[in-house]
Amino acid sequence: AEGNSERVAEIRGTEVGQGAKAMLCQAKENPNFLILAILPGDKRIDFKKLARVVGCKKTSFASPEAAMNETGCVIGAIPPFSFSENIKLVADPELFARYDEIAFNAGLLDKSIIMNSADYTRIAKPLLSEISS
């Protein structure tokens, strides 16, 4: 339960960028419109790009309470899958272009999964769009 992308990658034995950082976001004009943004662990989310992709004016991080209510996970433990019809899944294709395998938290801060990138995109079916900087 580290909470730092660099340290988690070291523990997993993966590269920092290989980590599929899952960030629950919301539309500022409608906090009920949730987006699970997936990006490489060494990148930062670009809220303007994300807003453009999902068709809203502005986006921001969702609250820890919204994360727990919608995903059943604390922030930092959310896997890169949407199991809720209320959450739109958007992933930055750079993650899959750079790595054949991705690593992510498996619903708990101290459990991880390493998965084939092509299998992830086939199973999760995220909207692929550049959302990081």
Side-chain angles (χ1 to χ4, degrees):
E2 192 56 43
N4 173 289
S5 295
E6 289 80 16
R7 181 70 184 121
V8 170
E10 184 181 313
I11 292 167
R12 288 179 181 148
T14 59
E15 293 182 34
V16 177
Q18 202 172 353
K21 194 174 352 181
M23 310 183 93
L24 190 64
C25 301
Q26 65 186 23
K28 282 204 171 185
E29 62 269 23
N30 179 3
N32 293 321
F33 179 48
L34 299 172
I35 309 109
L36 187 58
I38 312 302
L39 53 147
D42 59 353
K43 296 288 185 169
R44 294 193 177 276
I45 192 161
D46 185 320
F47 287 110
K48 288 180 182 178
K49 288 179 183 177
L50 182 62
R52 213 172 13 255
V53 167
V54 298
C56 62
K57 293 179 184 176
K58 290 185 177 183
T59 56
S60 64
F61 289 120
S63 69
E65 296 78 24
M68 181 57 81
N69 289 340
E70 285 297 325
T71 70
C73 300
V74 297
I75 290 178
I78 300 170
F81 294 91
S82 176
F83 300 107
S84 169
E85 292 180 5
N86 298 329
I87 301 173
K88 182 164 189 68
L89 182 62
V90 181
D92 194 310
E94 181 182 337
L95 177 62
F96 315 112
R98 288 170 55 193
Y99 300 100
D100 291 333
E101 292 182 323
I102 61 171
F104 54 89
N105 285 342
L108 299 169
L109 292 172
D110 61 349
K111 301 290 183 209
S112 294
I113 291 175
I114 297 175
M115 181 178 206
N116 177 277
S117 295
D119 287 345
Y120 169 78
T121 57
R122 181 179 49 80
I123 294 166
K125 295 179 178 50
L127 170 62
L128 296 174
S129 188
E130 184 184 328
I131 55 170
S132 62
S133 57

